[in-house]
DNA sequence: GATGAATGAGAATTCATTCAT
DNA sequence: TATGAATGAATTCTCATTCAT
């Protein structure tokens, strides 16, 4: 049993080591895919970025496409978090907070999301499996939230699904430059201002009250 | 002089023929670039789609990249039209009309725009030269329009530039699925409903008045 | 008969025009072949240099190789002249004169000779048909001349064929830089000095007499 | 330390293997370049001659031109040797020996030299970098040698540089057919006869003494 | 597991030649 | 005859993947 315990520990350690290496490769791949696009990236470049020999990649991923799918998979977490937050909004202040947090994309995940979104643009499988499913989840939660508020009279008689879609669009407009790598991520102050503006626009519109 | 007239006409005809051919090639290229992405498209595929020998492409475009740049260039017209319209809004009804028209992307141009946007995602030159410049123009016109309305008291004290960005985002949310080829372009009725919803959300917000 | 005479004249003129055009094409081809080598020259370049459409070349030459063979053919004249001169040497002054004249390669023929020699270096047919045959003729005349002089006691008991070969080599050493286009052709004064040096070296050797 | 020693040895062996392979490729390339000329040779032919896949060539040379430059570089040794020998001549017998040795081009190097010389004919960079520099070195050594002999009265008052050039030409005349692949390299007996003839012609001229 | 040389299918591009006008 | 667009075979070079070490 002691021997077994030891070998189990060894196996665990090895698996950890392997998993860690896998993550390093994915991070390297995401960085380069995000920069040059999947199709224009060579496995040699990925290997170099991950500080590995080319052949070693194939001990971790069956082929180049698996690498892409794994990167797209890893883009999941931030969108998941956004979806979770969306369903727990209670009041105006809560809404601002949620928007504010959603604007705080963790920098290391940027490359994953950028890769996924860029590929979704031309790759139907990526689009269906990742973008549609995950954005769909966010959209459904937002729609449900809006439907409730319309029912309880807080919101006007608006189309909840369309409104949810437009809200996602506003988000996109704000996050896109950062995702594209054109501007640095907004800092905490900027996020608060953006969040308040978005929520203000969304709740109150832009007309002067009474006009 | 008759002879000259004739040779001139011949030259003209040839130039027309050449220009027509160029357009056919561009349309074919845009279609395939949009579908598979620039990097994943082969010149062989473009030639086949344009019903030409591979070598013939190079009588019209110096290389594959020139083909991409020409496609991106041709994506200009719809965005130009949108920018023009944005600067001629007078009242709420006018705003609805403009939004409605902007949602009517001419189907044959879809492939050009999709190609351009997909490449802007990974190609800095395309991003700068086409996407940034043209979206920038629309953004500036919108910002100017909002600034005026804030000045004359029609709109609340909001940040015009940020608001313009959010408006563009709402647009994007509505147009994106069509650009991506995921949904057919909205018909006239759908466009009117979308336009009124967007304008309503934008002007009035989603809160019940008085809340 | 008058009519026939007229048509004959027309035919003659046309043939002259055609022949002139052929020569223009050959001169253009020789110039570019000489500069870049036959294999690296495109028919498009030749056509452009001859101020013609590509297709028109093929009204004058069956294909690119015929063009090369025609250029090689035209390289004949200067070598023919050299061979003629070589057989008419009478005395030391005559020898100097002949050498001097042989050093005066007509500039426009340079391109033809350079092309021929460059191709002979890799093309067996050109080597046999042009270089070997023509250099061979010169070599035979020189050998015959030397043989005579050995027989009449003017020259020492040397190997006439080998000596002729060495003489041709001395020539080559002097003409090569010009043929290659590395130095301008020698002017009259330089030619005289070179001729006297060559003849002096050849006849007297380099040892101080009596040593 | 044992492990290190082993890995060092492995690395050494690999480097040796790579270097050997490089040389094989160069030899194959030189052979075909010499036969057909650089421009007319395809990388496919080189690969086939080296018994390799086409792609493998590019693990050893960045592109076709690098292959040519490497071949030209390898043509250096024989010319270097000739230059060395040229500066160590002492007397007539020594001169004959040097000439004799210079006529003994190692057969495997023939293809390298033929390639280099053929390309120098149309490629300015090859001409400058290889032919001019190396022939120039030989020429300078010969010139210096002749200048000394003129100074000490052994040689007549001749132009040393021109004489050196003519001597190189005599060499060329003798070696050219072999370099071109038209005749087999001379054997030892032939080399001695040639050397004595050349030296005899050079030192004594062809006139009967006293004439 | 790690390495990196070898592979060969496939990519972009060129170019001699043809042929309708 | 002159033109130059069209052709497609051939060329150079790349790159995902394999495999012996």
């Amino acid at each position: 049993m002691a021997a077994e315990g030891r070998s189990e520990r060894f196996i665990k350690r090895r698996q950890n080591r392997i998993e860690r290496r896998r993550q390093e490769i994915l991070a390297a791949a995401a960085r380069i895919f995000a920069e040059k696009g999947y199709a224009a990236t060579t496995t040699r470049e990925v290997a170099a970025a991950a500080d590995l020999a080319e052949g070693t990649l194939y001990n971790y991923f069956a082929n180049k496409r698996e690498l892409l799918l794994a990167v797209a998979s890893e883009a999941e977490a931030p969108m998941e978090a956004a979806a979770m937050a969306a369903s727990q909004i209670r009041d105006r202040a809560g809404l601002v907070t949620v928007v504010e947090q959603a604007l705080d994309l963790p920098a290391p995940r940027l490359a994953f999301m950028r890769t996924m979104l860029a590929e979704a643009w031309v790759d139907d499988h990526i689009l269906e499996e990742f973008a549609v499913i995950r954005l769909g989840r966010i959209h459904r939660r937002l729609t449900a939230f809006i439907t409730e508020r319309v029912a309880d009279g807080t919101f006007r008689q608006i189309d909840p699904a369309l409104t949810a879609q437009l809200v996602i669009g506003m988000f996109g407009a704000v996050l896109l430059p950062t995702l594209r790598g054109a501007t640095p991520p907004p800092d905490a102050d900027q996020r608060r201002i953006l969040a308040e503006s978005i929520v203000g626009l969304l709740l109150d519109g832009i007309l002067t009250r009474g006009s």
Side-chain angles (χ1 to χ4, degrees), chain A:
Chain A
M1 255 188 58
E4 269 191 17
R6 217 158 62 127
S7 84
E8 268 171 31
R9 220 183 307 140
F10 278 143
I11 289 173
K12 194 78 161 254
R13 267 192 206 159
R14 185 164 67 186
Q15 284 176 341
N16 283 344
R17 211 178 42 223
I18 290 177
E19 183 51 26
R20 219 179 313 127
R21 193 77 114 140
R22 228 184 101 96
Q23 290 300 327
E24 287 169 11
I25 295 174
L26 280 183
R31 203 167 63 244
I32 313 201
F33 287 165
E35 242 171 59
K36 325 186 37 173
Y38 169 71
T41 298
T42 67
T43 52
R44 173 184 296 248
E45 287 169 319
V46 173
D51 202 26
L52 283 176
E54 282 184 74
T56 309
L57 286 184
Y58 290 83
N59 289 334
Y60 294 89
F61 298 93
N63 52 44
K64 195 186 167 194
R65 177 144 240 269
E66 288 302 319
L67 204 44
L68 172 64
L69 294 178
V71 167
S73 261
E74 298 280 328
E76 187 158 24
M79 304 188 74
E80 224 32 54
M84 289 304 297
S87 52
Q88 287 162 1
I89 301 164
R90 291 288 159 261
D91 54 11
R92 185 170 185 135
L95 182 56
V96 171
T97 305
V98 163
V99 171
E100 195 186 341
Q101 284 169 354
L103 291 176
D104 183 23
L105 281 181
R109 292 289 157 192
L110 273 181
F112 290 86
M113 293 198 65
R114 181 173 167 193
T115 297
M116 193 265 272
L117 292 171
E119 283 316 303
W121 202 247
V122 289
D123 182 319
D124 286 344
H125 181 250
I126 299 273
L127 178 70
E128 304 293 343
E129 209 67 21
F130 300 95
V132 167
I133 289 186
R134 285 158 205 181
L135 277 175
R137 203 171 299 158
I138 295 178
H139 184 260
R140 274 193 302 281
R141 306 239 175 146
L142 268 179
T143 303
F145 172 75
I146 295 169
T147 304
E148 276 176 44
R149 291 295 163 280
V150 171
D152 71 16
T154 315
F155 290 174
R156 294 191 290 120
Q157 291 291 337
I158 48 176
D159 177 337
L162 176 59
T163 304
Q165 195 178 356
L166 296 175
V167 170
I168 291 175
M170 292 194 225
F171 251 87
V174 173
L175 286 179
L176 213 74
T178 297
L179 274 172
R180 174 53 177 81
T183 60
D187 63 27
D189 285 349
Q190 293 171 320
R191 284 203 302 279
R192 172 143 288 265
I193 292 171
L194 284 170
E196 282 173 349
S197 295
I198 290 175
V199 169
L201 184 67
L202 183 65
L203 298 182
D204 304 324
I206 63 179
L207 285 184
T208 306
R209 285 284 145 170
S211 67

